[in-house]
Amino acid sequence: MAPSLWSRALAEFLGTFALLQASLGSLAWGEGPLVPALASGLAILVMVVALGGVSGAHFNPAVSLAFFLEGALKARELPAYWLAQLLGSLSASGMAAFLYPGVLAKGLPTSSDWGRGLAAEALGAFFLVLVILMVVRARHPLAGVAIGLTVTLLVLALAPLSGGAFNPVRWAGPALLLGDLGGALVYLLGPLLGGLLALAASRALARGEAG
């Protein structure tokens, strides 16, 4: 019996909560991208393994959009996934702010150059969503490891340009609680655009394999 939409939304809430809590909480250790990159990657790895069988372990609106366009999510399910992800982000951001005062200001992704920031967010989401689509399609036994390592590598490579979100709700939770929505263009449009490009690339690769 397939999990109910309620169960799947709960899994998306919990997985997104874990991602935000790990990413924000890791900033209490100090500056630099290494610890947040490892924390985010490990959180995704563990949550994909734990919850992938329930919801598919998206934890990212750009991923959910790609799977919706692939036909893996129904039209009524996409808003439920997005809402669960946003609520998970907000809840984890509030918890992190309580546990580590001042961490939200440190953990809000920012970019001094919106053009480079937008490109970095789109590029990061492109590779993240591409990896997810390909390993899920192949039913790879190490899918969680591949996805978690992808997150870590992308944060290490691109965090200096955009903060390394590649996920609209990674930005939205801290931004909404801080009342700082100036980065909306970069952190909403960038990942969604990258995800759409990844979907196109994955389809092209699938056609190549079929040929």
Side-chain angles (χ1 to χ4, degrees):
M1 182 177 179
S4 67
L5 181 56
W6 163 251
S7 296
R8 294 158 68 191
L10 179 59
E12 287 298 302
F13 171 89
L14 293 173
T16 308
F17 185 103
L19 169 61
L20 268 288
Q21 186 63 47
S23 178
L24 293 171
S26 67
L27 295 172
W29 287 89
E31 302 295 332
L34 180 59
V35 173
L38 290 172
S40 298
L42 288 171
I44 288 295
L45 189 162
V46 172
M47 290 297 105
V48 167
V49 173
L51 301 175
V54 180
S55 70
H58 300 178
F59 316 140
N60 184 333
V63 176
S64 296
L65 179 61
F67 276 96
F68 166 69
L69 295 174
E70 275 277 85
L73 278 182
K74 297 177 182 177
R76 68 182 182 87
E77 294 171 333
L78 181 62
Y81 269 57
W82 279 358
L83 179 60
Q85 291 157 2
L86 178 59
L87 292 176
S89 174
L90 286 168
S91 300
S93 297
M95 179 63 73
F98 172 73
L99 294 174
Y100 310 105
V103 78
L104 286 190
K106 293 172 61 177
L108 176 65
T110 58
S111 176
S112 59
D113 183 324
W114 76 266
R116 290 184 179 181
L118 181 66
E121 287 296 298
L123 182 63
F126 171 82
F127 281 108
L128 175 58
V129 176
L130 180 64
V131 168
I132 292 171
L133 289 170
M134 298 304 291
V135 298
V136 168
R137 187 177 292 154
R139 299 182 182 274
H140 200 289
L142 296 178
V145 176
I147 297 167
L149 287 177
T150 299
V151 170
T152 296
L153 291 172
L154 290 172
V155 172
L156 288 173
L158 298 172
L161 296 174
S162 68
F166 323 128
N167 181 340
V169 296
R170 171 59 186 84
W171 167 83
L176 287 170
L177 292 186
L178 290 170
D180 183 354
L181 303 180
L185 177 66
V186 170
Y187 297 101
L188 297 181
L189 180 60
L192 294 175
L193 176 60
L196 292 175
L197 292 173
L199 176 60
S202 73
R203 287 175 171 173
L205 290 169
R207 286 195 295 271
E209 292 173 356

